[in-house]
């Protein structure tokens, strides 16, 4: 069942994520110990994705009407990057890799914080009357206590994961290029996901380039606001972090994907006043992603 959940996501909406992986020294000391402990228990990446999905399904059917994660445990994703030295005093014997093996970077799931943000967004959206029925005030107040407890002990301003359903925001693609490292995860002839990686310094340079050009060429474009917020978010993290775009199950529908190139070309064409080229880049993006987004309205 677990494997089937990971492959098919149990018929759930396509979900994609943008994640930041930071070095251990970027976290407060107490959280460092928690990350090392949770990371040492973590299995394969597929096992982590399955565990997160199963936990979310379990919360939906939980008795008592509380759909929020409790925070008793928090899944931790890790990746290893070549080279680099650990900051003095920031690592224990359990995570002191030698120089050749590279260093570990950590991305905590922060489910309690993210669930609270998602609930707030739902309450502020067009479906707020329905949200009142789905998430009673008593449960929201109870969850706020969990959030306050976390805020007291951690730097909760740095939310390491952004999620999107039924497609990937075009602004996310501006952070990546075709030459970035890719991990294509396949099973039984299907693409389970594609993960694209880039150093945060590269992602920031690309985001700032896009913001500067769109501000001059297309200041009314919604994507400019998205990119501005994305840049401000990236600036919160450690300079030696990595950025991961995880396509999720939608990868099987769109990969191989040239969206990063199309977004870059579209922005460059706008900056040069080439409206024909910009329109062509947008048409390629739309033909690839609009059918995916329409699935959200399918019965």
């Amino acid at each position: 069942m677990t494997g089937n959940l990971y492959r098919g996501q149990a018929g759930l909406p396509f979900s994609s994520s943008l994640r930041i992986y930071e070095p251990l020294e970027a976290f407060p000391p107490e959280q460092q110990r928690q990350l090392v402990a949770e990371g040492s228990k973590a299995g394969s990446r597929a096992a982590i994705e399955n565990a997160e999905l199963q936990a979310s399904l379990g919360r939906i059917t939980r008795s008592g009407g509380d759909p929020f994660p409790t925070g008793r445990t928090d899944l931790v994703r890790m990746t290893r990057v070549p080279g680099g030295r650990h900051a003095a005093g920031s690592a224990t014997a359990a995570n002191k890799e030698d120089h050749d093996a590279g260093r570990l970077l950590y991305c905590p799931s922060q489910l309690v914080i993210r669930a609270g943000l998602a609930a707030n967004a739902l309450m502020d959206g067009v479906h707020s009357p329905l949200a009142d029925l789905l998430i009673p005030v008593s449960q929201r107040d109870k969850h706020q206590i969990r959030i306050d407890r976390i805020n007291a002990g951690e730097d909760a301003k740095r939310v390491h994961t952004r999620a999107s359903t039924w497609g990937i925001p075009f602004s996310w693609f501006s952070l990546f290029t075709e030459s970035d490292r890719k991990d294509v995860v396949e099973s039984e002839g299907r693409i389970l996901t594609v993960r694209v990686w880039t150093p945060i310094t590269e992602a920031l340079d690309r985001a700032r380039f896009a913001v500067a050009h769109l501000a001059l060429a297309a200041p009314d474009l919604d994507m400019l606001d998205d990119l501005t917020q994305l840049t401000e978010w990236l600036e919160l993290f450690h300079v030696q972090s990595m950025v991961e775009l995880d396509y999720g199950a939608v990868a099987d529908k769109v990969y191989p994907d040239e969206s990063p190139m199309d977004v870059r070309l579209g922005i460059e064409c706008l900056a040069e006043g080439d409206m024909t080229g910009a329109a062509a880049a947008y048409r390629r993006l739309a033909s690839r992603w609009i059918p995916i987004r329409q699935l959200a309205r399918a019965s």
Side-chain angles (χ1 to χ4, degrees):
M1 178 179 175
T2 301
N4 290 334
L5 274 176
Y6 182 61
R7 285 194 290 272
Q9 289 202 7
L12 296 173
F14 292 133
S15 179
S16 306
S17 298
L18 189 66
R19 300 188 180 98
I20 309 294
Y21 290 72
E22 290 192 286
L24 200 61
E25 63 264 27
F27 300 91
E30 178 60 30
Q31 193 177 5
Q32 289 184 25
R33 290 188 284 272
Q34 293 172 358
L35 290 170
V36 172
E38 293 296 329
S40 66
K41 295 185 296 184
S44 67
R45 183 64 185 267
I48 293 174
E49 305 300 342
N50 276 321
E52 190 165 276
L53 180 57
Q54 287 182 313
S56 67
L57 294 174
R59 289 193 296 273
I60 294 173
T61 58
R62 181 194 295 161
S63 61
D66 183 1
F68 292 104
T70 62
R72 284 192 291 267
T73 60
D74 193 29
L75 294 170
V76 177
R77 292 172 176 82
M78 298 184 298
T79 190
R80 192 183 296 275
V81 294
R85 291 179 299 174
H86 290 284
S90 67
T92 66
N95 68 324
K96 286 182 178 177
E97 297 79 30
D98 60 46
H99 183 82
D100 293 334
R103 69 186 317 206
L104 284 173
L105 303 181
Y106 299 81
C107 178
S109 290
Q110 298 171 290
L111 289 177
V112 170
I113 298 292
R114 289 167 51 207
L117 293 173
N120 291 339
L122 186 62
M123 298 306 301
D124 294 337
V126 296
H127 301 298
S128 56
L130 178 61
D132 279 326
L133 297 175
L134 294 175
I135 312 175
V137 174
S138 60
Q139 298 298 342
R140 296 201 300 273
D141 291 343
K142 181 179 178 181
H143 190 67
Q144 186 60 49
I145 296 173
R146 297 177 186 135
I147 293 174
D148 293 341
R149 189 182 304 122
I150 290 175
N151 287 341
E154 299 177 10
D155 180 5
K157 294 179 181 178
R158 300 200 326 277
V159 179
H160 289 69
T161 301
R162 292 192 166 201
S164 175
T165 54
W166 299 117
I168 297 174
F170 293 165
S171 58
W172 292 9
F173 291 120
S174 67
L175 307 182
F176 303 91
T177 69
E178 312 86 88
S179 60
D180 287 331
R181 167 189 151 196
K182 295 181 181 66
D183 295 333
V184 181
V185 184
E186 299 180 82
S187 178
E188 299 179 3
R190 291 183 58 190
I191 298 177
L192 304 183
T193 189
V194 173
R195 301 186 185 108
V196 190
W197 300 81
T198 196
I200 197 168
T201 51
E202 296 287 338
L204 267 170
D205 285 346
R206 294 163 186 169
R208 289 166 178 159
F209 171 88
V211 167
H213 283 78
L214 287 180
L216 292 174
D220 296 327
L221 204 64
D222 289 341
M223 187 176 171
L224 177 58
D225 291 336
D226 293 343
L227 275 166
T228 301
Q229 294 176 21
L230 199 57
T231 303
E232 293 171 350
W233 177 63
L234 292 172
E235 288 171 343
L236 296 174
F237 297 95
H238 194 283
V239 69
Q240 293 181 347
S241 301
M242 293 287 290
V243 186
E244 175 198 72
L245 172 58
D246 187 343
Y247 276 67
V250 76
D252 196 53
K253 303 293 184 184
V254 300
Y255 195 79
D257 179 33
E258 296 180 341
S259 296
M261 181 179 66
D262 288 332
V263 168
R264 188 184 74 253
L265 290 176
I267 292 172
E268 291 175 350
C269 287
L270 284 173
E272 296 168 0
D274 180 5
M275 297 299 109
T276 301
Y282 177 77
R283 282 196 298 271
R284 291 192 296 270
L285 284 165
S287 66
R288 190 177 302 124
W289 290 103
I290 286 180
I292 299 296
R293 290 171 181 168
Q294 287 174 336
L295 291 173
R297 299 175 177 84
S299 58

